[in-house]
Amino acid sequence: MSTANITATQAPVTTIREIGRHEGQAVTIRGWLYNLRESGKLLFPIFRDGSGVIQGVVAKNAVSPEMFDSVKKLTQESSVIVTGKVRADKRAPGGYELDVSDVQVVQPVPESDPFPISLKEHGVDFLMEHRHLWVRTPRQASILRVRAEIIKAARDFFDDRGFILTDPPILTPAACEGTTTLFPVDYFGEQAFLTQSGQLYIEATAMALGKVYSFGPTFRAEKSKTRRHLTEFWMVEPEIAYATLDDLMKLAEEFVAFIVKRALERRRPELETIGRNLAPLEKIDTPFPRITYDEAVKMLQEGHAKGELENRFEWGGDLGSPDETYLSSKFERPLMVHRYPAAVKAFYMEPDPQRPEAALCVDMLAPEGYGEIIGGSQRIGSYELLLKRIREHGLPEDAFRWYLDLRKYGGVPHAGFGMGIERVVTWICGLEHLREAIPFARTLTRIYP
Ligand code: 4AD
Ligand code: MG
């Protein structure tokens, strides 16, 4: 670190995002050198400060020879405090340029050990290995901004509709979503697990508060390497007392439409930086199409007959990625598939009274082939049936005593869903892989950095 005094600046400190308010004035920004171009007696350093990117202009005859030289030698990602006059320029990406008068170097990146991520192309493995530095690039930083906006939108949606945030535990004694994807934890000599979903606990708080939601990290020890699976991901889960599957589907479509609109409203420049084609997102509005699992099976079998799908889908199976992609490609809005066979779904789902082999559940599939973004259901109301299911699934009865209590003391029909934040970020940003949708992805093969 140099001895640069980061508070004794020459002009009022501002951010690149807000620099337009200071047109014609001298300001100071604090950030990093992103890139440097040279053209005769002019230097064009591009600075970033986390809020945005701006091009500076350093004219040889406007600064001291030492200053000109020190800017000329600046290396990528050196930290700098820059003072200059703000000038409007229609051609500049943010609308402004900075006529630089002073640059203090806070920490120069040595030429002998340059910033590993240069502006040329790198392989994704290399980038993931340097994720702690990769997040500085404009595209990655834009994705993180969109993610933050989606999380804020999700919270606002529920907060403004009378839902109370209740945080479920992360260390839990038992499974919620099947026993094959549990991360074990040694809990003072007892076996515990990282939570797969907050659902069971927010069923309890829903009986206390009516409408609740949780938002937190969830864990799946999935041995799958697909681009849609993380071992640690963030889920937002609403749970509502006195709600049916129909209420849930209505809530889910309003929720997702709200989030897409918010992202378009507030993060359009970032989505453009990412290179997202916005046209498909502009079409997202309620109502969303709804089909039953049986109808989905029919569509898949017809698709196979037409040669559009490799394998013939048989009733009773869970939908795989190619099936989801095929179904959702037939619609421009997210598709809700409801009433799957109970046998392929979780133990807690209420059977359809009209057809007990089907569960009162729904999955929402994002358009453009992005797959499942939401899974939810009405929950089993009957104590006896729930106990039977717990036994059938080989779950430890003792760990579920409290959960069974909820069906003993004033149980009511209730329902909820979970939406994976990274799945939605991946869809809205148009990414290829979930690993870019979270600051530090955890996958089957990666726990570094
Ligand atoms: O469908 P899932 O497994 O449902 C539940 O966990 C319910 N207990 C939720 C509830 O009813 N409250 O997961 C919900 C969502 C999926 O639709 C998907 O968006 C995301 O969580 N998800 C994953 N995201 C990233 N990596 C994984 N391995 C994921 N597994 C599920
Ligand atoms: Mg699911």
Side-chain angles (χ1 to χ4, degrees):
M1 263 284 286
S2 83
T3 51
N5 185 336
I6 62 163
T7 48
T9 57
Q10 299 189 351
V13 174
T14 187
T15 59
I16 295 171
R17 190 181 180 85
E18 308 213 303
I19 213 156
R21 295 190 193 167
H22 303 271
E23 194 188 331
Q25 298 163 10
V27 295
T28 294
I29 54 168
R30 303 187 291 191
W32 296 263
L33 181 84
Y34 176 61
N35 197 8
L36 178 64
R37 278 193 310 117
E38 210 182 318
S39 170
K41 292 183 174 160
L42 292 174
L43 300 175
F44 299 103
I46 297 177
F47 301 109
R48 58 168 201 89
D49 73 345
S51 80
V53 171
I54 192 166
Q55 174 162 286
V57 181
V58 187
K60 193 160 192 170
N61 57 12
V63 297
S64 70
E66 296 77 39
M67 177 64 60
F68 191 81
D69 240 37
S70 91
V71 175
K72 194 171 168 168
K73 277 199 231 129
L74 272 183
T75 44
Q76 190 194 348
E77 286 305 311
S78 290
S79 37
V80 287
I81 297 175
V82 183
T83 300
K85 205 165 151 188
V86 182
R87 178 170 39 77
D89 184 329
K90 284 207 185 70
R91 294 158 307 168
Y96 298 93
E97 281 194 344
L98 199 62
D99 289 323
V100 176
S101 54
D102 185 65
V103 175
Q104 285 181 61
V105 182
V106 181
Q107 184 177 55
V109 174
E111 253 171 76
S112 56
D113 188 6
F115 190 67
I117 302 175
S118 64
L119 302 179
K120 66 173 206 280
E121 290 273 307
H122 292 283
V124 78
D125 285 341
F126 177 86
L127 291 169
M128 284 305 289
E129 195 68 13
H130 294 86
R131 182 63 175 167
H132 52 299
L133 305 176
W134 189 23
V135 289
R136 298 184 190 190
T137 60
R139 177 182 157 87
Q140 294 305 316
S142 294
I143 294 170
L144 296 185
R145 276 176 202 286
V146 175
R147 176 188 168 98
E149 199 66 57
I150 289 171
I151 291 171
K152 168 113 173 68
R155 287 184 175 281
D156 286 350
F157 181 89
F158 290 121
D159 289 344
D160 294 349
R161 281 163 184 75
F163 285 71
I164 305 299
L165 176 73
T166 59
D167 305 308
I170 289 174
L171 291 165
T172 59
C176 175
E177 294 298 320
T179 49
T180 56
T181 64
L182 284 169
F183 271 115
V185 179
D186 172 57
Y187 197 72
F188 308 115
E190 263 185 61
Q191 171 92 295
F193 306 98
L194 296 178
T195 187
Q196 296 168 311
S197 158
Q199 178 198 320
L200 306 185
Y201 291 93
I202 60 172
E203 286 186 48
T205 56
M207 297 306 131
L209 298 155
K211 296 197 288 186
V212 299
Y213 74 103
S214 66
F215 173 61
T218 48
F219 305 85
R220 307 274 167 103
E222 224 122 17
K223 286 274 175 356
S224 84
K225 269 203 208 164
T226 83
R227 60 205 171 92
R228 290 180 185 169
H229 289 96
L230 298 171
T231 51
E232 177 180 308
F233 63 98
W234 288 67
M235 186 152 46
V236 56
E237 300 180 81
E239 189 73 31
I240 313 121
Y242 289 105
T244 62
L245 178 62
D246 280 338
D247 299 328
L248 195 68
M249 291 200 276
K250 188 155 179 295
L251 182 73
E253 68 186 4
E254 282 171 6
F255 179 52
V256 170
F258 177 85
I259 288 176
V260 173
K261 286 206 169 79
R262 251 305 171 82
L264 286 170
E265 222 171 79
R266 300 197 180 171
R267 293 295 169 192
R268 195 172 281 265
E270 283 82 358
L271 290 168
E272 282 164 359
T273 299
I274 296 163
R276 177 62 157 117
N277 172 13
L278 299 180
L281 294 180
E282 312 265 15
K283 292 185 187 146
I284 307 303
D285 205 353
T286 55
F288 292 178
R290 300 175 186 195
I291 60 172
T292 61
Y293 172 88
D294 292 0
E295 287 164 335
V297 172
K298 204 162 152 251
M299 283 177 66
L300 290 169
Q301 292 179 344
E302 284 168 8
H304 173 69
K306 282 191 239 158
E308 293 170 349
L309 269 171
E310 201 178 319
N311 299 316
R312 188 185 146 86
F313 190 90
E314 296 302 336
W315 194 96
D318 201 359
L319 301 181
S321 275
D323 310 314
E324 289 181 355
T325 301
Y326 179 80
L327 291 171
S328 63
S329 71
K330 303 286 172 202
F331 302 89
E332 289 189 329
R333 295 177 180 184
L335 171 66
M336 293 198 277
V337 182
H338 54 95
R339 294 178 167 80
Y340 285 63
V344 298
K345 289 290 182 187
F347 75 95
Y348 51 71
M349 293 185 179
E350 181 81 321
D352 185 351
Q354 315 294 321
R355 247 185 101 207
E357 72 275 18
L360 292 177
C361 67
V362 61
D363 276 5
M364 187 188 288
L365 313 179
E368 302 172 79
Y370 285 93
E372 179 192 333
I373 51 174
I374 279 182
S377 74
Q378 216 174 297
R379 321 305 191 188
I380 288 178
S382 144
Y383 182 97
E384 289 72 29
L385 179 61
L386 186 59
L387 183 59
K388 184 164 166 266
R389 285 287 157 83
I390 287 171
R391 288 178 177 159
E392 282 168 4
H393 281 77
L395 295 168
E397 232 171 281
D398 220 32
F400 286 95
R401 266 191 339 255
W402 69 271
Y403 186 61
L404 283 157
D405 272 355
L406 306 178
R407 278 75 181 167
K408 240 161 73 181
Y409 304 114
V412 301
H414 62 290
F417 66 75
M419 184 188 86
I421 292 292
E422 293 76 15
R423 295 269 179 98
V424 172
V425 172
T426 298
W427 164 46
I428 291 183
C429 292
L431 310 178
E432 266 184 28
H433 199 299
L434 254 68
R435 67 189 159 211
E436 287 182 50
I438 184 166
F440 294 93
R442 295 290 171 251
T443 64
L444 185 56
T445 53
R446 179 166 296 285
I447 194 164
Y448 176 93

